[in-house]
Amino acid sequence: MTRDEILKEAARIISSDRAKDYGPADESFARIARLWTAYLDVAVSPMDVANMFVLSKVQRTLTSPAKTDTWLDICGYAALGGEMMTNEK
């Protein structure tokens, strides 16, 4: 895939009907942050959630660097994190 194809596919995936199934990404990341905060007993933000999801995909590149799905996920999580952080109220 070309870089443009990867970005377009990642955009398609995160802009699809996932919100119907799982709720809006910002709400989901906020819920995950609260759960991780309670579990770890350390403050976790929605931005931390986005970064940790990206890092979880980065570790996959160490064993399967040619797996397109991993790169799509990295783009998607980065875009969702960027959207949340640049649109904070």
Side-chain angles (χ1 to χ4, degrees):
M1 292 180 88
T2 68
R3 67 187 82 175
D4 288 338
E5 291 169 333
I6 290 170
L7 290 171
K8 285 177 187 172
E9 179 62 8
R12 185 194 67 73
I13 291 168
I14 65 171
S15 299
S16 68
D17 290 339
R18 287 182 180 219
K20 282 185 191 175
D21 296 331
Y22 306 112
D26 59 334
E27 291 177 17
S28 177
F29 281 40
R31 277 193 305 273
I32 293 165
R34 288 192 300 272
L35 289 166
W36 288 1
T37 294
Y39 183 81
L40 296 169
D41 197 26
V42 63
V44 176
S45 71
M47 183 184 73
D48 293 325
V49 172
N51 288 333
M52 296 301 280
F53 281 166
V54 168
L55 289 172
S56 74
K57 299 302 177 171
V58 167
Q59 71 79 27
R60 286 186 174 180
T61 66
L62 300 175
T63 55
S64 300
K67 188 108 169 136
T68 303
D69 183 63
T70 299
W71 297 105
L72 292 171
D73 289 347
I74 289 170
C75 291
Y77 287 131
L80 291 170
E83 179 180 76
M84 286 185 292
M85 294 304 100
T86 60
N87 292 327
E88 269 193 345
K89 294 172 175 104

